[in-house]
């Protein structure tokens, strides 16, 4: 049976109190609208149509950025005149489909494929299957009106009688509908209701009149829409628990799942251990057997196997090879690449810098726009002076070089293979391979100086 999906996402989202369209707010690193799209894909939708309205251009751009230009087709609903009207705008894009049409909302990210499968099953051989739910407070929802146990129609909250308002069973808003019936039924919708809108729910009565409706109940938590930031926060907590549980089941250790934040798109190898307060954002890929200790924050970072990230390491857009040690308090800015067995210690900052196999920079160092060879040792307090006030320049340190402590490398500059730079040197010229570079004022030792100074002080005090 073929399935197409229409996702309604034209609404304004007034209660978000935001300049950003509601469906572009992020939940565990993904825009809200991405969840129903992925759900539709997971259910095998042949076609996905997204109805956009409010901030249509921004939503289109975000969807194209995440899925490419062809995965999702967009229909514009310029004015929001109800859910029936929204589906009508999508109709031209599903005019030729046969089989079933699944209707989803753009703002219900917690809905799962496992919950929709029974709805799709129930729709077999019927015109319409509707997802119901029982919220703690049914206010605002369309109530399911039954007669003799059979669903007759959905009554919107604002059209309810006092008695109907007491019905606890409500319409969740997701349906699986026979495509031909949907096209035909939509043409009969009228806006003679309390809100003057075209209600998609009115087609439920049409299917019910032919005794061709099925109802499947869903847990309220899954179908609850996000209307404000409070809903968003609750949904994020729920989604985060789900994500963490999946990683725990797949062999990741978390010292404290309650304070571990992992975005949807993150991949983590087995036997990796995450300390409390670890945040893995965007598209992180973490290898097997890693230790990522308390407070590490990684964004779009690839980490090889068996790495050890000590507490409070912050890294972004970087690639870390196997068995690398980082931190505590290390900072990798975008474009850093560390080969295997690199050691980066406390208060070391890297930007657009490559470090070769086994290279080390263990303390208090800034390496920017640098290429560091294999087994290079970068001493404490080394600084690449990569910016001259106008442009950035590169520093190249070849294999096996030794950079003494408190060195400044004024770029562009190259230190040859195996060269030694003495501590305290300001390197302004290239250093040939194997050479020693030194730029210190010669040291003078004055014997007995301290005692003479002390005496002078004593004398001065006696004179006063
Ligand atoms: C709708 C149902 C109601 C159900 C409730 C569940 C109708 C008439 N009522 O309520 O029975 O209990 O969902 O949440 O269908 N949208 C558009 N264009 C529009 C209107 C809405 O795209 O013109 C989108 C919204 O962005 C949202 C979804 O449709 O994603 C639901 O809209 P909302 O206004 O929240 O639902 P109601 O119509 O109040
Ligand atoms: Ca509503």
């Amino acid at each position: 049976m073929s399935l197409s999906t229409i996702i309604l996402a034209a609404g304004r989202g007034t209660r978000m109190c935001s300049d950003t369209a509601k469906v572009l707010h992020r939940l565990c690193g993904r825009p809200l609208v991405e969840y129903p799209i992925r759900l539709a894909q997971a259910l095998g939708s042949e076609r996905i149509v997204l109805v956009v309205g409010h901030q249509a251009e921004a939503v289109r751009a975000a969807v194209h950025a995440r899925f490419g230009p062809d995965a999702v087709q967009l229909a514009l609903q310029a004015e929001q005149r109800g859910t029936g009207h929204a589906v009508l705008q999508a109709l031209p894009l599903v005019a030729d489909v046969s089989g079933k049409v699944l209707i989803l909302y753009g703002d219900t990210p917690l809905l799962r494929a496992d919950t929709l499968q029974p709805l799709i099953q129930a729709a077999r051989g019927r015109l319409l299957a509707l997802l119901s739910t029982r919220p703690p407070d049914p206010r605002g929802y369309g109530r399911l009106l039954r007669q003799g146990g059979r669903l007759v129609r959905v009554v919107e909250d604002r059209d309810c009688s006092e008695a109907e308002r007491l019905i606890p069973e409500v319409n969740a808003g997701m349906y699986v509908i026979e495509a031909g019936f949907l096209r035909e039924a939509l043409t009969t919708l009228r806006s003679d209701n309390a809100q003057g809108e075209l209600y998609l729910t009115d087609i439920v009565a049409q299917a019910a009149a032919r005794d061709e409706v099925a109802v499947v109940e869903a847990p309220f938590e899954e179908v609850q829409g996000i209307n404000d930031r409070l809903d968003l926060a609750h949904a994020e907590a729920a989604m985060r628990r789900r994500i963490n549980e999946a990683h725990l089941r797949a062999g990741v250790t978390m010292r404290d799942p309650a304070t571990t934040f992992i975005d949807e798109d993150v991949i983590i190898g087995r036997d990796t251990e995450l300390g409390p307060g670890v945040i893995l954002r965007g598209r992180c890929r973490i290898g097997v057997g890693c230790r990522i200790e308390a407070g590490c924050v990684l964004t779009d970072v690839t980490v090889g196997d068996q790495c050890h990230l000590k507490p409070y390491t912050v890294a972004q857009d970087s690639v870390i090879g196997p068995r690398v040690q980082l931190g505590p308090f290390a900072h990798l800015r975008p474009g850093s690449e560390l080969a295997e067995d690199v050691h980066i210690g406390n208060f070391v900052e890297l930007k657009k810098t490559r470090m070769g196999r086994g290279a080390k920079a263990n303390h208090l160092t800034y390496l920017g726009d640098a290429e560091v060879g294999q087994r290079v040792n970068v001493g404490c307090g080394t600084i690449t002076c990569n910016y001259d006030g106008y442009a950035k320049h590169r520093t190249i340190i070849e294999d096996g070089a030794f950079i003494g402590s408190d060195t400044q490398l004024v770029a562009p500059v190259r230190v040859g293979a195996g060269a030694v730079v003495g501590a305290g040197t300001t390197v302004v010229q290239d250093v040939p391979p194997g050479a020693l570079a030194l730029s210190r004022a010669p040291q003078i030792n004055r014997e007995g100086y301290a005692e003479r100074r002390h005496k002078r002080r004593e004398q001065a005090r006696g004179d006063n």
Side-chain angles (χ1 to χ4, degrees):
M1 181 199 68
S2 99
L3 185 74
S4 302
T5 301
I6 298 173
I7 302 169
L8 308 188
R12 170 172 280 280
T14 315
R15 282 177 284 161
M16 295 300 282
C17 302
S18 177
D19 294 333
T20 302
K22 176 163 83 174
V23 292
L24 295 185
H25 280 260
R26 286 179 175 269
L27 184 87
C28 295
R30 289 178 175 169
L32 289 179
V33 70
E34 189 165 334
Y35 289 91
I37 294 172
R38 286 191 186 263
L39 183 59
Q41 288 177 331
L43 291 165
S45 290
E46 286 164 21
R47 199 171 301 181
I48 301 174
V49 180
L50 181 70
V51 182
V52 293
H54 189 63
Q55 290 200 17
E57 247 335 291
V59 177
R60 181 197 309 271
V63 167
H64 283 180
R66 300 289 291 184
F67 294 94
D70 302 323
V72 179
Q73 301 186 42
L74 289 107
L76 182 70
Q77 186 195 25
E79 239 184 296
Q80 279 81 69
R81 292 169 49 205
T83 48
H85 183 256
V87 176
L88 265 172
Q89 312 312 303
L91 267 196
L93 295 171
V94 292
D96 54 329
V97 305
S98 54
K100 302 288 184 184
V101 177
L102 167 66
I103 311 274
L104 299 175
Y105 290 169
D107 59 1
T108 55
L110 296 174
L111 187 56
R112 277 197 273 223
D114 285 353
T115 305
L116 284 181
Q117 290 293 6
L119 190 72
I120 294 169
Q121 292 307 320
R124 278 176 191 273
R126 292 201 173 90
L127 293 177
L128 187 147
L130 168 153
L131 205 63
S132 73
T133 190
R134 288 169 193 269
D137 177 0
R139 264 180 297 180
Y141 290 92
R143 310 299 201 284
L144 264 53
L145 237 69
R146 291 180 182 264
Q147 264 167 23
R150 288 227 295 262
L151 177 64
V152 181
R153 64 195 175 96
V154 175
V155 191
E156 289 309 297
D157 188 68
R158 295 193 22 204
D159 301 297
C160 275
S161 67
E162 283 306 312
E164 288 163 348
R165 276 222 168 88
L166 299 175
I167 298 172
E169 190 187 24
V170 310
N171 171 25
M174 295 87 201
Y175 322 81
V176 176
I177 308 171
E178 211 277 312
F181 168 73
L182 175 66
R183 286 191 287 263
E184 166 201 312
L186 278 177
T187 60
T188 68
L189 293 185
R190 295 170 44 191
S191 56
D192 51 352
N193 50 56
Q195 302 183 74
E197 290 185 346
L198 295 181
Y199 287 170
L200 180 59
T201 42
D202 286 350
I203 74 171
V204 175
Q206 295 186 37
R210 299 201 221 161
D211 198 13
E212 296 231 29
V213 194
V215 177
V216 172
E217 190 169 328
F220 178 64
E221 298 73 39
E222 274 189 49
V223 294
Q224 191 180 13
I226 289 177
N227 290 312
D228 58 25
R229 311 263 183 162
L230 193 66
D231 293 340
L232 184 64
H234 288 318
E236 173 123 10
M239 184 63 82
R240 199 153 62 77
R241 268 196 303 277
R242 257 190 219 177
I243 292 171
N244 287 1
E245 278 172 25
H247 287 296
L248 289 163
R249 290 213 170 85
V252 174
T253 295
M254 283 176 214
R255 297 269 73 104
D256 182 15
T259 62
T260 305
F261 293 71
I262 304 172
D263 278 357
E264 271 280 6
D265 295 319
V266 172
I267 295 172
I268 310 175
R270 57 193 290 159
D271 288 323
T272 281
E273 178 181 326
L274 307 179
V278 166
I279 303 177
L280 304 176
R281 296 195 289 227
R283 296 179 184 274
C284 284
R285 301 272 174 281
I286 314 292
V288 302
C290 293
R291 251 179 96 193
I292 302 186
E293 294 195 72
C296 288
V297 180
L298 309 186
T299 308
D300 299 320
V301 173
T302 298
V303 179
D305 296 342
Q306 317 289 341
C307 286
H308 185 184
L309 277 59
K310 296 172 198 170
Y312 304 103
T313 290
V314 175
Q316 186 179 356
D317 271 318
S318 293
V319 179
I320 298 168
R323 298 179 306 278
V324 164
Q325 291 190 28
L326 272 174
F329 303 102
H331 186 191
L332 304 187
R333 288 167 53 202
S336 301
E337 276 177 47
L338 310 181
E340 59 260 51
D341 301 304
V342 162
H343 289 191
I344 301 290
N346 42 198
F347 309 110
V348 173
E349 172 183 347
L350 265 60
K351 187 216 76 174
K352 274 195 194 149
T353 286
R354 293 230 295 261
M355 304 265 296
R357 169 152 42 91
K360 292 178 182 165
N362 273 328
H363 333 266
L364 299 159
T365 286
Y366 172 59
L367 300 172
D369 304 299
E371 182 94 35
V372 179
Q374 300 184 7
R375 302 176 319 280
V376 166
N377 188 88
V378 178
C380 175
T382 296
I383 297 169
T384 53
C385 310
N386 58 326
Y387 184 54
D388 59 12
Y390 301 96
K392 304 282 171 64
H393 302 283
R394 296 190 61 73
T395 299
I396 294 164
I397 304 172
E398 293 178 355
D399 292 351
F402 179 92
I403 311 295
S405 295
D406 191 27
T407 291
Q408 297 95 51
L409 297 146
V410 181
V413 77
R414 174 188 293 264
V415 177
V420 174
V421 176
T425 295
T426 301
V427 182
V428 293
Q429 302 165 23
D430 288 357
V431 181
L436 166 70
L438 257 188
S439 74
R440 298 179 195 147
Q443 182 171 334
I444 308 161
N445 293 337
R446 295 205 173 102
E447 295 288 340
Y449 168 82
E451 200 181 334
R452 288 196 300 278
R453 177 169 176 262
H454 184 66
K455 278 189 180 145
R456 273 202 308 274
R457 300 277 302 201
E458 293 286 284
Q459 210 162 1
R461 198 176 294 167
D463 290 350
N464 282 339

